[in-house]
């Protein structure tokens, strides 16, 4: 069965420091991986995706993510955090198999960036 | 501007009442989804539809119903059988390609009166 894990409920980082939000996945087949951000009382916004090719993908608002096939991980990163990055972040995988339109989400990680 | 529109933003339900949440998209996406989000929690899939006139149950379909009569629209009815309906409901859509992400509406917050 396909699944996504975000091992940290919360990540705290100081403004200006690099940030990492962790995600591991389990899929049968080649994964389609996504990161989303959610601000309070809003829907999820798409940040970036990995489909194939370069293991480092760049996305919106200066975020990037590193795909590691051997560790089945897709960690979200940013070189210098902003207070405005404080939000809830979700990792997701699209089922590469028979149920192609189904997405599986991690439980979310709350990012707190302190001034 | 293409996107997903959910309405209303806030909704209140009385005991024994059914309520319907609206979701409309103009992205020409085939697949549409309904998720429930409880405070501080992740997303749980209620129903999804891959094509008009077809839909599948998700992980928590009990007490909910949907229809997909038009490609653009995927309304969700929260029935009186759903005993704990207070939550934030999110609608999403996606294109058919594997690299296509989901696009989300801004949600409807449902509360019990």
């Amino acid at each position: 069965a396909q699944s996504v894990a975000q091992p940290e409920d919360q990540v705290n980082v100081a403004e200006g420091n690099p940030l990492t939000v962790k995600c591991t996945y389990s899929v049968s087949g080649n994964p389609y991986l996504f990161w989303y951000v959610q601000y309070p009382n809003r829907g999820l916004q798409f940040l970036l995706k990995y489909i194939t090719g370069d293991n480092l993908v760049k996305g919106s608002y200066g975020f990037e993510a590193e795909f590691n096939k051997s560790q089945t991980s897709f960690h979200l990163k940013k070189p210098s955090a902003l207070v405005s990055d404080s939000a809830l972040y979700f990792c997701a995988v699209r089922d590469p198999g028979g149920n192609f339109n189904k997405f599986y989400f991690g439980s979310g990680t709350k990012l707190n960036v302190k001034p | 501007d293409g996107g997903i529109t959910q309405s209303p933003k806030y909704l209140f339900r009385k005991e024994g009442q059914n309520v319907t949440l609206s979701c409309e998209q103009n992205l020409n996406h085939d697949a549409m989804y309904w998720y429930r989000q409880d405070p501080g929690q992740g997303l749980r899939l209620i129903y999804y539809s891959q094509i008009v006139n077809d839909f599948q149950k998700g992980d928590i379909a009990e007490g909910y119903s949907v229809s997909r009569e038009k490609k653009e629209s995927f309304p969700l009815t929260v029935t009186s059988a759903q005993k704990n309906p207070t939550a934030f409901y999110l609608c999403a859509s996606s294109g058919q390609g594997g690299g296509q992400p989901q696009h989300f509406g801004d949600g409807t917050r449902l509360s019990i009166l």
Side-chain angles (χ1 to χ4, degrees):
Chain A
Q2 330 294 359
S3 66
V4 175
Q6 293 181 240
E8 301 156 319
D9 289 338
Q10 187 166 296
V11 169
N12 298 312
V13 64
E15 188 175 30
N17 283 1
L19 69 88
T20 299
V21 182
K22 296 179 181 177
C23 171
T24 59
Y25 65 90
S26 174
V27 298
S28 49
N30 293 321
Y32 300 111
L33 295 158
F34 305 86
W35 273 103
Y36 296 86
V37 60
Q38 185 183 30
Y39 294 99
N41 297 311
R42 300 295 301 274
L44 278 66
Q45 296 176 34
F46 167 69
L47 280 178
L48 51 78
K49 66 183 179 184
Y50 173 82
I51 306 303
T52 186
D54 195 348
N55 289 343
L56 185 65
V57 294
K58 295 189 184 296
S60 306
Y61 312 118
F63 284 94
E64 56 192 27
E66 187 169 11
F67 172 69
N68 188 316
K69 188 172 184 177
S70 62
Q71 297 185 6
T72 62
S73 67
F74 188 54
H75 300 332
L76 182 70
K77 301 183 180 189
K78 188 173 184 182
S80 178
L82 299 172
V83 172
S84 57
D85 293 330
S86 298
L88 190 55
Y89 289 82
F90 290 97
C91 181
V93 62
R94 186 167 188 165
D95 192 333
N99 202 350
F100 188 64
N101 279 318
K102 201 168 182 185
F103 288 73
Y104 297 84
F105 284 83
S107 55
T109 298
K110 186 177 182 184
L111 175 65
N112 295 314
V113 181
K114 300 186 178 180
Chain B
D1 247 319
I4 297 185
T5 302
Q6 289 188 242
S7 62
K9 192 159 182 67
Y10 300 95
L11 187 58
F12 298 91
R13 196 191 88 169
K14 296 179 182 178
E15 294 288 341
Q17 186 182 43
N18 293 352
V19 292
T20 297
L21 285 59
S22 171
C23 178
E24 303 277 332
Q25 55 102 356
N26 60 5
L27 298 167
N28 199 33
H29 285 165
D30 285 311
M32 296 188 74
Y33 310 78
W34 276 105
Y35 293 93
R36 170 178 172 143
Q37 187 177 29
D38 292 285
Q41 306 267 329
L43 305 179
R44 291 188 288 171
L45 182 64
I46 304 173
Y47 270 98
Y48 65 107
S49 167
Q50 302 188 73
I51 199 167
V52 173
N53 292 323
D54 182 63
F55 47 83
Q56 287 82 41
K57 292 182 178 180
D59 304 315
I60 56 164
E62 187 174 349
Y64 300 97
S65 66
V66 293
S67 62
R68 187 84 186 279
E69 297 176 1
K70 298 187 300 181
K71 188 174 185 177
E72 302 79 18
S73 178
F74 191 41
L76 173 75
T77 296
V78 184
T79 75
S80 57
Q82 172 50 244
K83 296 306 179 189
N84 185 22
T86 298
F88 191 50
Y89 290 87
L90 287 164
C91 179
S93 70
S94 72
Q96 287 294 346
Q100 297 296 313
Q102 286 180 310
H103 295 253
F104 283 82
D106 266 343
T108 293
R109 188 166 298 280
L110 176 61
S111 303
I112 294 293
L113 280 178

